[in-house]
Amino acid sequence: MQQRIDADEVKRAARGRWEQILTALAPQLTPAFERPGRHVPCPVHGGTDGFRLLKDADDSGGSVCNTCGVHSDGFSTLMWVTGRGFREILESVAEHLRVGSSNPLPARWVQRNEKTPEEDDKKARQSLNRVWTESISIAHRDAEPARLYLARRGISIRQPETLRFHPSLGYYDGKKIVGRFGVMVAMVVDQDGEPVTIHRTYLTPDGFKAAVTAPKKLMHHPSLRKLTGGAIRLVEAGPVLAVTEGLETALAVTEGTGLPVWPCVNAHLLEHFTPPDDVSQVLVFADKDRPSAQHPKGHGQAVAKQLVQRLWKMDKKASAIVPAGEIQAGQKSLDWLDILNRDGKAGFPSLQSVQRLLRRTA
């Protein structure tokens, strides 16, 4: 019989050793430890400088991605980077530290009176519930910053009820509050449709992105909830479902095609998206990204290809659709919101043409 692992014992043993643990179990985190306190490319979705470790990373294992949000401890960091669940990560850390073996850790590594994962999860749930309960409809008179923001982005369709607005949320840099802003919020659910976290877009009163380091962020979520496979379910899915990376891109595709569209927040989550069982066809409206050393054909294109291949193996018809045209000078990518603003609905493929493409690739 497998020995039961005591989560509290493993967490006590890990404190002060997270650099060793994280670089061993997730080597892609090594560059962040080599540049403590500095921003480095995100180990999940790339980029140039969107990721850093928290100041107490060796004690806590915590990290923050400007796109994906804050991961308060090493367990959350590993779950996010690897896509594995809490129990599996706990077992890996316990094995690495030899917890429960005949060769125990030195007593100097044992810490007392620390916050437990259960307490951290309870706080996360309370914060998520509070923000969602306090949010209001985009149609509410006090949600004008969100309506202005979407209009400035070129989106004119009526917004779904699942997209909401919070009149005043604090923006934090670590534990320091930078200011309070109106925030457009959307719920991110897992592949089974269960709520996981909230996506936030910090705005100025006149409808621009707030002048903060990361105006788009995910809230911290309970450790046992998994983002991998999930999305923001803006509307009910039909037999044909479209997916995108970004929220505004999804709204643009909805406006351009009339299809139900779910944004997956970022490239990593798009690559691992899992549709509901009753969805038979998935259309991936990909971002066109510039080539890079890591992604010679562009990150957005590569992610879309990986998702399409995986969906066909799941007996789901799938196709990736990339915007036509050149990426403008000074821009990193071309997405479907750019197409909507450039060409209007005429820039989007018809459903009939997509169906013909699916039949050819079947």
Side-chain angles (χ1 to χ4, degrees), residues 3-20:
Q3 183 180 5
R4 182 180 180 275
I5 298 174
D6 187 324
D8 290 342
E9 182 182 1
V10 176
K11 191 167 184 180
R12 287 194 297 270
R15 190 170 180 85
R17 302 188 71 185
W18 275 113
E19 178 176 359
Q20 176 195 124

Side-chain angles (χ1 to χ4, degrees), residues 153-276:
R153 299 303 308 273
I155 297 166
S156 60
I157 59 169
R158 182 178 179 180
Q159 303 310 315
E161 287 297 317
T162 49
L163 191 60
R164 298 180 65 79
F165 181 76
H166 193 290
S168 180
L169 281 183
Y171 183 93
Y172 289 84
D173 183 4
K175 294 183 179 181
K176 180 183 178 181
I177 187 167
V178 174
R180 302 192 70 85
F181 303 89
V183 180
M184 188 168 67
V185 296
M187 185 180 295
V188 186
V189 303
D190 64 18
Q191 64 187 51
D192 298 319
E194 293 298 319
V196 178
T197 188
I198 292 173
H199 180 272
R200 299 162 294 176
T201 305
Y202 286 82
L203 303 172
T204 64
D206 52 353
F208 290 94
K209 289 180 186 176
V212 293
T213 304
K216 294 186 177 184
K217 300 177 72 173
L218 292 174
M219 290 186 67
H220 178 59
H221 59 85
S223 59
L224 294 180
R225 295 292 178 91
K226 291 183 64 177
L227 276 171
T228 305
I232 297 172
R233 298 189 177 188
L234 288 173
V235 294
E236 290 292 326
V240 179
L241 175 68
V243 291
T244 66
E245 286 187 35
L247 173 58
E248 290 93 334
T249 305
L251 295 172
V253 174
T254 298
E255 185 164 345
T257 66
L259 289 167
V261 189
W262 291 355
C264 295
V265 181
N266 58 47
H268 172 72
L269 294 180
L270 178 66
E271 181 178 356
H272 294 89
F273 171 70
T274 301

Side-chain angles (χ1 to χ4, degrees), residues 8 17 32 67 100 160 176 226 239 246 272 285 294 313 327 342 354:
D8 290 342
R17 302 188 71 185
T67 300
K176 180 183 178 181
K226 291 183 64 177
H272 294 89
F285 281 79
Q294 187 177 5
K313 292 177 182 178
I327 301 172
R342 188 190 72 187
V354 171

